[in-house]
Amino acid sequence: MRFAITPGEPAGIGPDLIIQLAQGTFSHQLVCIADPRMLQQRAKKLNLPLKLIAYDQNNHQPAIAGSLTVLDEPLPEPSVCGTANKKNAKSQLNALKRAVAGCQSGEFSALITGPMHKGIINEAGIHFTGHTEYLAELTQTKKVVMMLSAPESEHQLKVALATTHLPLSEVSQAITQQSLTEVITILNHDMKHHFGIKQPHILICGLNPHAGEDGHLGREEIETIIPVIKKLKDKGFKLDGPLPADTLFTKPYLESADAVLAMYHDQGLPVLKHVGFGQAVNVTLGLPIIRTSVDHGTAFDLAGSGKADTGSLKAALMMAVQMAEKSTTVNQNVS
């Protein structure tokens, strides 16, 4: 298999992580879509050997340790560690476009993305709310689901979100029966098709403390969440909830679960990042392609220092491989 990887913001640690990763071996071909001159300059700054191999679609040989296959996406201006340049913003999006096109055509088995900086892209006059939304737009996907996974945690914790980057005051209105049905359906489908789980067991968080206390602490559970769970269970989904979030993330619940659906960002992700930060993976569900990413930002202060931790990128790469392999097996069984 062949995998595309994008470093994201060239002034951040994305290039460092890929160069550090290239010092080891990988059983599949990894194609970095980036400016080769930037990669060479960063490798020199890191004092790491790096032989660049120009991408040839007909050559599937994995690169050896200390080398990296590169598909040239030039930067208009040289990249400076720690200092983002809005003139280089568009090239990052071009790299994503090329990677997505390759995934859709079957040229690449999956996409692994490094961290981007939303602010500098918007300063360049390009409306950009994040990787997830941009990939949904590129693939014309109406609904996607953000899920983070901590593969090295005790229960290989996976937490998906019913809502993502919203002010807390807007969360309740954003959770409707229709939106919640769509999110759970996508989560259930992708756990089957990308993770090879025949009947995913999904735990559903309540929105309110104690899951609403039978309506005494809020009625969202009664009016929205419970009807959706009942409807989907009648269709064969294996769901439990709504469960109080303060006790759901405990061993008796998690040891039998495949995934947790949190109602909002800071309900589920603090728990996951507590057990897996630096080793966790961001996965976008619902796309027609496989996309994994690191669980951290650009870390401008570490760019070029050699101190960036590759743990999350390694985990993202391994998860992309596992998902691609599971997807191939599932599709073969279906056909």
Side-chain angles (χ1 to χ4, degrees):
M1 290 188 287
R2 174 187 285 153
F3 295 83
I5 187 166
T6 55
E9 169 55 56
I13 60 170
D16 300 45
L17 298 176
I18 293 173
I19 292 165
Q20 291 171 233
L21 200 66
Q23 302 306 305
T25 58
F26 181 54
S27 56
H28 302 283
Q29 188 177 48
L30 188 63
V31 179
C32 180
I33 306 177
D35 189 323
R37 291 154 293 279
M38 178 272 293
L39 293 170
Q40 286 284 22
Q41 291 167 359
R42 188 65 60 88
K44 184 176 181 181
K45 190 170 184 64
L46 294 170
N47 197 28
L48 291 174
L50 186 67
K51 178 183 177 183
L52 298 183
I53 302 169
Y55 174 58
D56 178 357
Q57 192 170 343
N58 296 316
N59 180 7
H60 285 78
Q61 291 299 315
I64 60 173
S67 64
L68 182 64
T69 300
V70 180
L71 197 166
D72 189 358
E73 178 53 53
L75 294 172
E77 294 194 357
S79 176
V80 178
C81 289
T83 305
N85 185 341
K86 64 183 181 182
K87 292 183 180 179
N88 289 334
K90 190 175 181 180
S91 67
Q92 298 175 52
L93 302 182
N94 289 342
L96 288 176
K97 288 178 182 178
R98 177 64 180 86
V100 167
C103 288
Q104 289 180 309
S105 69
E107 180 183 0
F108 303 125
S109 297
L111 165 63
I112 302 97
T113 60
M116 295 176 76
H117 191 274
K118 301 179 185 68
I120 200 68
I121 296 175
N122 280 280
E123 283 183 29
I126 304 168
H127 178 66
F128 182 78
T129 55
H131 263 114
T132 302
E133 295 81 3
Y134 188 70
L135 294 175
E137 181 183 335
L138 284 180
T139 58
Q140 297 182 327
T141 304
K142 290 183 178 180
K143 185 77 173 179
V144 294
V145 175
M146 179 179 175
M147 182 179 82
L148 266 75
S149 172
E152 299 301 319
S153 60
E154 182 181 1
H155 302 293
Q156 298 185 0
L157 182 61
K158 293 179 176 63
V159 178
L161 301 178
T163 61
T164 52
H165 301 114
L166 286 178
L168 198 56
S169 61
E170 297 178 15
V171 168
S172 178
Q173 286 187 331
I175 300 172
T176 64
Q177 288 195 25
Q178 179 179 341
S179 71
L180 195 56
T181 299
E182 290 172 349
V183 168
I184 297 173
T185 301
I186 290 170
L187 176 57
N188 186 70
H189 175 276
D190 281 16
M191 293 298 288
K192 288 181 177 180
H193 287 262
H194 292 324
F195 292 92
I197 301 170
K198 290 184 178 180
Q199 189 179 28
H201 181 199
I202 302 170
L203 306 182
I204 313 294
C205 290
L207 174 65
N208 297 295
H210 301 178
E213 287 274 20
D214 297 323
H216 296 288
L217 292 176
R219 296 194 56 81
E220 287 87 352
E221 285 78 12
I222 293 172
E223 296 175 358
T224 303
I225 301 174
I226 291 173
V228 169
I229 292 174
K230 184 181 185 306
K231 179 179 66 176
L232 292 178
K233 286 179 74 171
D234 288 344
K235 292 183 178 181
F237 286 51
K238 189 177 182 181
L239 309 174
D240 279 328
L243 297 168
D246 63 344
T247 54
L248 181 156
F249 291 99
T250 56
K251 186 175 181 177
Y253 284 115
L254 294 179
E255 62 186 1
S256 66
D258 296 303
V260 173
L261 179 65
M263 291 296 111
Y264 56 94
H265 188 280
D266 282 11
Q267 183 183 56
L269 296 194
V271 180
L272 184 133
K273 292 193 176 186
H274 172 70
V275 300
F277 190 70
Q279 305 291 326
V281 182
N282 187 341
V283 184
T284 306
L285 305 179
L287 293 172
I289 67 172
I290 294 170
R291 179 259 175 160
T292 65
S293 184
V294 295
D295 70 342
H296 55 73
T298 52
F300 287 125
D301 57 322
L302 295 178
S305 70
K307 297 179 181 180
D309 187 345
T310 60
S312 184
L313 184 62
K314 286 181 180 177
L317 181 56
M318 291 302 102
M319 181 160 287
V321 172
Q322 293 167 11
M323 291 174 68
E325 290 174 344
K326 291 291 185 182
S327 298
T328 300
T329 302
V330 169
N331 289 335
Q332 287 174 345
N333 292 337
V334 170
S335 60

